[in-house]
Amino acid sequence: MTPSVRSRLMASGVAFALGFGLANYGVLRIARPDLWLWILVAALLMATGVVGVLLADTTRAISFWAILGLEVFAVFTLVPLLWTFTVATAPSGVTPQTLWPQDVSWSALDGALHSDILRRAAGTSVLVAALATLIAMPLAIPAAYAFVRLTVKGRRIAYGFVLVALLMPLVALAGPFAGQLIAFDLYGSRLALVVPALAVTLPLAIWLSVTVFRDVPWSLGDAVRADGATRAQQLRLFAAPHLLPGLGVATLLVFVAGCNDFVLGSALAPDAQTLPLPATLLLASGQVDDSSAAIAAAGLLWILPAVVLLLLFPRRINQLLGRSYR
């Protein structure tokens, strides 16, 4: 549906008014060097408003509400990252007073890499997430195949339970999980978080695998089998090009999600020796030298795998996370 002229004009007006307000507030209240960042954001929003007015009656399907939303999302994503970078690169003992970094020092990054607490926590996160992913994916793939390919009674209801599990607040499960771990005398073990981590990885793995299977040209697979192809030929001609790339990226996304869970980790790990990294970053203030800078540096390093994954597979991730089905 082509956006209406009125919709574009309203979005343009909101963008220009928001930018004009930010510019005036920045000039009156924000000191340099942050003032230039403030004015840059304001100028971008005002320019969006001007372009929106000029293109309001175009026949192209341009949504300036979407453009405005993307700009606001970028600001609310990049500004916290910039502040984290400023804290992580501040000289030892210095508390940053501006958003834009002043005196850049890399000592906190080096300290985060050589901190025994942070390194052990990162190892715990990777170990737990890897094992939970290795368990979840073999269970998720046949489940997703059944949801997509098999016409069975109650399929929609079962998939609804998967979505409920995916959206369930994990903190509600912390108490029952803790009770079970104590009953089996596993509370306090690094591997004790593997089974609770399945509450994160398994629903997500099923949901992503269903998305992968919905895009597969199953008629081609049926044709390959009808032509008498062996299992090895079916794997080479059909599964390898059409299934493995999507399932591979889904596996990486599940692993990253498992690495970044802090709710169960902070609730089920009794001490610093068993905390995963996200929980350590949340709770380890005062336990790490120059803790604010080191924690910020560790946080920046921890998001690098997700950034690399996004840069390597942008189209595939967009298909898995951003596509809607009609």
Side-chain angles (χ1 to χ4, degrees), residues 40-66:
L40 177 63
V41 173
L44 178 63
L45 291 171
M46 294 173 69
T48 300
V50 172
V51 173
V53 171
L54 296 176
L55 299 179
D57 60 348
T58 182
T59 57
R60 296 180 179 179
I62 302 175
S63 172
F64 282 92
W65 284 114

Side-chain angles (χ1 to χ4, degrees), residues 113-188:
L113 290 173
H114 292 88
S115 170
D116 291 337
I117 293 177
L118 296 178
R119 289 169 62 180
R120 180 178 178 84
T124 299
S125 290
V126 171
L127 178 63
V128 169
L131 292 176
T133 302
L134 290 176
I135 295 172
M137 289 306 297
L139 297 175
I141 290 173
Y145 180 86
F147 284 132
V148 174
R149 291 285 288 165
L150 303 182
T151 304
V152 294
K153 189 175 181 179
R155 180 181 59 174
R156 293 181 179 272
I157 297 176
Y159 189 61
F161 280 115
V162 173
L163 298 180
V164 169
L166 182 63
L167 300 175
M168 180 181 299
L170 295 178
V171 69
L173 303 176
F177 275 134
Q180 292 299 311
L181 292 177
I182 293 172
F184 286 99
D185 197 24
L186 295 174
Y187 191 70

